[in-house]
Amino acid sequence: DAGVIQSPRHEVTEMGQEVTLRCKPISGHDYLFWYRQTMMRGLELLIYFNNNVPIDDSGMPEDRFSAKMPNASFSTLKIQPSEPRDSAVYFCASSPLSSLTEAFFGQGTRLTVV
Amino acid sequence: GDSVTQMEGPVTLSEEAFLTINCTYTATGYPSLFWYVQYPGEGLQLLLKATKADDKGSNKGFEATYRKETTSFHLEKGSVQVSDSAVYFCALSENYGQNFVFGPGTRLSVLP
C-alpha cells in the first residue's frame, strides 16, 4: 500500500478563495482523521470519521471549515472562504479498528493564504 | 477528557549524549501509548508504541516503558545522533483507535 496520500502538497491561495484539501486513506482502515499543525497551537484534531461517518467535529474551528467522506477511499477538507490565519500544515491520518494500532499519517498539505 | 503533557523544548544535545523526553498522560480508561517522530517537511511517523502497563516499546535505539502507576511514557535513547534531530510527539488512543490525542511535541536538535 502506498500509505495515506494527500493532495496537493502545497497550496497558495488568496484570502476569500475556496480551498479543498484531499486525502486517500489506507485501504481497509476504518478511521480517518484530519489534523492541523501550526507553530502556535501544535497539532490539533479537527475532525474524525468512522466508516465514513463524522464522529467528532468539535475541533473544526469555524463554519468556514467543512469535511466530507463520500466513500471509504476519499475525504475532503474544505475552507470557504479562506483567511490568512488558516495558513498551516494539514495532515490526514487513517487507522484500522483497534486501539493496538497506530494512526498512519500522510505527508501533509502546506496551506498558505495570502 | 484525555490529555498528554510533554516536556517543553527545544532540547539541544551533543552527539552521543543521553536523551530523555518526559511524557505524562491523563486518560479515563486503558489507552495505548505512542511516540511519533516528525522530520523536517514530513508527516508524523510512528517511532514506538506500548499497549499495556509495563510494556516496553523500542525502535532505532529509542525506548519507552508504559508506567501505569505514574501515568508516564518517557522516551529515552542512550546515544543520540545528528540524524535524530526532529520533533517528537507523545500520543495516546483509547476506544479502539478513536481519537488519538497528541502532546505538543518536543523539538530535539543534536549537534555534531
Side-chain angles (χ1 to χ4, degrees), chain B residues 8-83:
Chain B
E8 293 291 328
V11 174
T12 303
L13 297 173
S14 297
E15 205 164 23
E16 299 183 1
F18 184 85
L19 168 71
T20 299
I21 301 178
N22 290 337
C23 170
T24 57
Y25 67 90
T26 301
T28 53
Y30 299 94
S32 295
L33 302 175
F34 309 86
W35 276 100
Y36 281 81
V37 59
Q38 184 181 29
Y39 299 102
E42 298 186 10
L44 279 71
Q45 306 171 24
L46 180 71
L47 180 60
L48 53 85
K49 67 182 180 184
T51 58
K52 62 182 186 297
D54 300 326
D55 268 4
K56 177 185 285 188
S58 61
N59 185 25
K60 300 181 181 179
F62 290 89
E63 292 183 340
T65 301
Y66 190 142
R67 300 290 187 198
K68 189 171 184 296
E69 64 277 12
T70 55
T71 61
S72 64
F73 193 54
H74 304 322
L75 182 68
E76 297 182 336
K77 187 174 185 181
S79 176
V80 294
Q81 305 300 311
V82 172
S83 57

Side-chain angles (χ1 to χ4, degrees), chain A residues 3-36:
Chain A
V4 176
I5 299 173
Q6 291 186 246
S7 64
R9 288 295 307 277
H10 303 274
E11 176 80 37
V12 180
T13 190
E14 292 186 347
M15 182 174 62
Q17 296 298 305
E18 177 180 296
V19 175
T20 299
L21 311 181
R22 296 173 176 80
C23 174
K24 182 181 188 306
I26 293 173
S27 176
H29 282 190
D30 305 282
Y31 289 91
L32 184 140
F33 308 85
W34 281 101
Y35 289 90
R36 178 173 68 176

